[in-house]
Amino acid sequence: MSSPGPIADQDPTDAASPPTGASTSAQTAASFTTLRANRGPPGLSPAATAHAHLLAVPESITDFRLFDGENSPQNIAVYGFGLGALFGASLILATVVETSIPQFWLFLAALGVFHSLEYIAIALFNPTKLNLDSFLLNHSPEYTMATVSGVSEFLIEYYFFPQWKTWGFLNKIGLIMVMLGQAARTLAMFSAKSNFSHHVEYYKEEHHVLVTDGIYSVLRHPSYFGFYYWALGSQLMLMNPICFIGFGGALYYFFSERIEYEEELLIRFFGQNYRDYKARTSTGIPMIK
């Protein structure tokens, strides 16, 4: 958004001057108004005047906007509160309230945790790149479509084939996959710290180092590993056969291309050190070395 030019640059002689007689009266009234505004409402003591100034609403606060894409305190608060409420309400519905579909509420709770931790990690370790998109709520049209597809398949199949959606052994395996996937991704972000980014880095910055300890000593792309099993586990937990197969194919296609491209950049950044690191680690994702 462009800002207007400095007011000081305006030539005061450009404005029309009032008649001389009116000028004195107008200036006196303006001076009194300014003085009264600085002192507070008439009849107030100095302490009460100070309190009145504290209650005054700054003009900037009156311009209160939500969901405008800005990384403003009000947007962060609304997004954070919404995700926290989603997690808390869903967890209660899954564990406390008697329900025939706890897996659905657990999935929504997992969504709340996932998106909250994405923002928190960037806020802690990479604040210069922090923005409202760090929540990853609008990561991409493909991600949105995948999430909507998973919820839609579950609800449609639950309506027509409720016997498919009972809580059992496979649902629990899916839940474990979701938890392990989230743990791996979060550990990766907290281990890489400022080296972690939601976007591909095309240039090596001064603070970039090759992280090879912790979870990175075993997995070469632990954040991708984590999301891969989080996404597949969520569909297994929901017992969504169509989305489980679709997610598997889409994730393989996405990560195989992205990892290959990223590793070309990493070899350019770190040379032989990255080649040696790549040789002794794995992605942990099937069919991607």
Side-chain angles (χ1 to χ4, degrees), residues 90-114:
S90 299
L91 191 63
I92 290 173
L93 288 170
T95 59
V96 178
V97 178
E98 186 174 350
T99 176
S100 60
I101 50 170
Q103 64 270 43
F104 180 72
W105 305 117
L106 288 172
F107 170 70
L108 294 183
L111 275 178
V113 172
F114 172 79

Side-chain angles (χ1 to χ4, degrees), residues 5-288:
I7 297 177
D9 291 342
Q10 298 177 358
D11 187 351
T13 61
D14 290 343
S17 299
T20 306
S23 175
T24 304
S25 301
Q27 289 176 359
T28 303
S31 300
F32 177 81
T33 302
T34 303
L35 182 62
R36 176 54 59 198
N38 290 335
R39 291 183 177 178
L44 290 181
S45 65
T49 299
H51 182 65
H53 282 301
L54 289 176
L55 294 178
V57 180
E59 185 178 352
S60 61
I61 296 181
T62 62
D63 188 20
F64 190 83
R65 293 175 295 179
L66 292 174
F67 308 114
D68 57 355
E70 296 297 326
N71 195 47
S72 59
Q74 61 266 26
N75 277 329
I76 297 170
V78 170
Y79 280 42
F81 177 81
L83 290 170
L86 176 67
F87 168 74
S90 299
L91 191 63
I92 290 173
L93 288 170
T95 59
V96 178
V97 178
E98 186 174 350
T99 176
S100 60
I101 50 170
Q103 64 270 43
F104 180 72
W105 305 117
L106 288 172
F107 170 70
L108 294 183
L111 275 178
V113 172
F114 172 79
H115 289 290
S116 296
L117 288 175
E118 294 296 311
Y119 189 89
I120 290 172
I122 299 298
L124 287 175
F125 305 120
N126 219 339
T128 59
K129 297 181 179 178
L130 183 69
N131 56 56
L132 209 59
D133 289 340
S134 300
F135 279 108
L136 293 188
L137 288 170
N138 56 343
H139 177 269
S140 65
E142 293 80 7
Y143 175 78
T144 302
M145 184 173 66
T147 304
V148 172
S149 298
V151 172
S152 299
E153 180 183 353
F154 178 86
L155 294 176
I156 292 171
E157 291 175 354
Y158 177 67
Y159 181 81
F160 288 104
F161 311 104
Q163 66 275 14
W164 292 5
K165 303 300 182 180
T166 56
W167 179 256
F169 177 74
L170 289 178
N171 305 93
K172 296 174 183 177
I173 295 297
L175 176 60
I176 292 172
M177 289 173 63
V178 168
M179 295 172 68
L180 290 178
Q182 182 64 71
R185 183 169 175 87
T186 303
L187 187 58
M189 293 188 292
F190 278 66
S191 297
K193 294 184 170 61
S194 62
N195 294 282
F196 181 85
S197 174
H198 283 143
H199 305 284
V200 176
E201 299 287 348
Y202 299 99
Y203 303 97
K204 184 177 182 294
E205 298 182 13
E206 291 184 2
H207 64 84
H208 282 163
V209 296
L210 180 59
V211 181
T212 59
D213 56 355
I215 192 171
Y216 283 88
S217 65
V218 180
L219 296 171
R220 203 159 63 248
H221 298 278
S223 65
Y224 294 163
F225 167 89
F227 184 77
Y228 179 86
Y229 286 101
W230 184 96
L232 284 183
S234 70
Q235 298 311 298
L236 182 61
M237 181 174 67
L238 292 172
M239 292 299 291
N240 286 347
I242 298 174
C243 282
F244 182 84
I245 295 172
F247 277 33
L251 288 168
Y252 170 77
Y253 176 78
F254 174 78
F255 283 134
S256 60
E257 287 200 339
R258 179 146 180 168
I259 287 174
E260 180 181 3
Y261 180 66
E262 279 194 21
E263 292 191 335
E264 291 177 0
L265 294 173
L266 289 167
I267 289 173
R268 192 178 75 190
F269 294 168
F270 302 107
Q272 189 59 41
N273 287 338
Y274 190 82
R275 291 189 182 94
D276 295 340
Y277 170 69
K278 179 180 178 180
R280 65 176 185 267
T281 55
S282 168
T283 65
I285 300 175
M287 297 183 291
I288 302 179

